Amino acid sequence: MYAFEAFLPTRIVFGAGKVGELRKYIEGLGKKAMIVTGRRSTKESGLLDRVLQILRSKGIDAVVFDKITPNPVLESVDEGARIARQEKVEFIIGLGGGSAIDSGKAIAVAACSGGSYWDYTRVGGRKRPRCALPIVAIPTTHGTGTEADPFLVITNTKTKEKLGEGFGKLTFPVVSIVDPETMVTLPKDQTAYTSMDAFYHSLEVFLNVNAYPYSDVLALDSMKRVVSNLRVAYENPRDIEARSELAWASTEAGITETLVGVVANHALEHGLSGFNDRVVHGLGLCTLGPHFLEYIFDHAYRRIAIVGREVFGVQEIDDKRAAALAINKLWEFQEVYGCNMPIRELGIAKEDFQEMAEIVYRMFKGLAEVTPGKPGVEDFVKIYEMAW
Ligand SMILES: [Fe+2]
């Protein structure tokens, strides 16, 4: 019945306070590290200093590369890789949200294999990377799942391509320290958006035509944890139990995404944030998500019904009715966090729909093909119109 292979080589160290044990896990990675991080939050929270101190205590030199922006861009990644080569950096620590860790992965590839990161992407050059520096991931948000997967998302601002890539074992972190204490300073809105990113990873994996029991159990569990804990963390950001549940939901979603992969909702979102870099990924997913479910309803209602019953407590035997109720519940859930926005409010121009759909379809054809009903470019345009 089922045939599958699961490759999950990352050592995941999970738990409150685990950053304090970092020194144990970087043994043998080298004497010079590059910390890839954003401009502000890890400095303000004191986390960057703490990590620097731990490295110093082990006699490891560190270069701090702190030019990473949300929706990270190719220019900074290539600059980071140049510096890493010049400074003879031996391993990378991605410290921060998904953008810092994804940039760390891209820098690890380009620093070791040479040239520009884009040379190694499926749209930029298709060169096979020779190697990548080892990557240590310390996430401070609970959404992207990048701590447990080989994927990275980098935007080429010249071509407006926001591209998700993965390089198998080269871009799996060698170790990820998932410490919910590092996440308590996340502001309310980001708490919601990042959690919804994890939710949609799991929802999309669950709808993927290649889903199987291992991916299902993680996907459903992670959606449940988001639905039952987001409210608490949103209202009380320092609630460490709720943060731990959301952190695990995110890592779990990352694992299940590694097993099976997301579907076209993520492709569609990359159109929004590729065209307007101020669009937050998690919010973009929410603005499209319920419409996406409506659009693929006839091909996916049995699976959506399961989500309704298992995640949202829908009590309805008929699959079509249960699936419709599930979509209503999703709307209601998102409403609490201000995530039900029409995409016109995200600064997206209707005239761009066709071009957006064409670009993302070209880049993410694989995701469309594993989506129930196999949507094409015209379907993508229709979903954008529904969400307008
Ligand atoms: Fe995502």
Side-chain angles (χ1 to χ4, degrees), residues 207-209 263 292 296 299-300 303 367-375:
L207 299 176
N208 188 310
V209 297
V263 293
F292 170 74
I296 63 164
H299 306 281
R303 299 289 275 180
L367 270 57
E369 281 171 354
V370 293
T371 302
K374 287 195 188 181

Side-chain angles (χ1 to χ4, degrees), residues 143-144 197 201 257 266 270 281 285:
T144 69
D197 187 16
H201 293 152
E257 193 187 344
H266 256 73
H270 285 202
H281 176 58
L285 291 169

Side-chain angles (χ1 to χ4, degrees), residues 147-197:
E147 67 276 13
D149 70 41
F151 308 122
L152 56 152
V153 182
I154 301 294
T155 299
N156 183 333
T157 45
K158 289 199 191 87
T159 60
K160 293 184 180 169
E161 288 165 321
K162 184 181 177 188
L163 184 68
E165 270 288 3
F167 300 91
K169 69 171 190 277
L170 293 183
T171 46
F172 271 107
V174 290
V175 58
S176 290
I177 314 266
V178 185
D179 180 347
E181 279 179 6
T182 68
M183 303 169 185
V184 297
T185 49
L186 260 186
K188 272 188 160 196
D189 56 347
Q190 285 189 47
T191 296
Y193 301 154
T194 190
S195 300
M196 290 314 291
D197 187 16

Side-chain angles (χ1 to χ4, degrees), residues 10 24 36 42 76 85 140 160 173 176 211 233 245-247 276 296 298 302 324 369-370 374 384:
T10 300
K24 274 206 309 219
V36 179
T42 59
S76 24
R85 279 194 295 266
T140 58
K160 293 184 180 169
S176 290
E245 295 289 355
L246 293 169
N276 180 351
I296 63 164
D298 287 343
R302 288 195 180 88
E369 281 171 354
V370 293
K374 287 195 188 181
Y384 284 138

Side-chain angles (χ1 to χ4, degrees), residues 28 36 47 76 98 103 142 189 203 251 334 388:
V36 179
L47 180 61
S76 24
S103 299
H142 40 70
D189 56 347
L203 175 62
T251 302
Q334 295 189 167
W388 174 253

Side-chain angles (χ1 to χ4, degrees), residues 264-341:
N265 194 51
H266 256 73
L268 289 159
E269 197 299 305
H270 285 202
L272 303 184
S273 45
F275 265 67
N276 180 351
D277 65 6
R278 285 191 305 278
V279 174
V280 181
H281 176 58
L283 176 61
L285 291 169
C286 293
T287 62
L288 297 163
H291 298 291
F292 170 74
L293 295 182
E294 296 280 7
Y295 196 83
I296 63 164
F297 192 88
D298 287 343
H299 306 281
Y301 66 86
R302 288 195 180 88
R303 299 289 275 180
I304 302 171
I306 297 171
V307 173
R309 295 186 193 110
E310 298 272 327
V311 176
F312 290 110
V314 167
Q315 292 187 331
E316 167 62 58
I317 305 162
D318 179 78
D319 281 346
K320 279 199 173 163
R321 279 202 296 269
L325 288 169
I327 298 173
N328 286 344
K329 291 275 188 188
L330 179 57
W331 280 121
E332 285 169 21
F333 180 62
Q334 295 189 167
E335 183 65 28
V336 177
Y337 310 103
C339 294
N340 287 342
M341 223 177 255

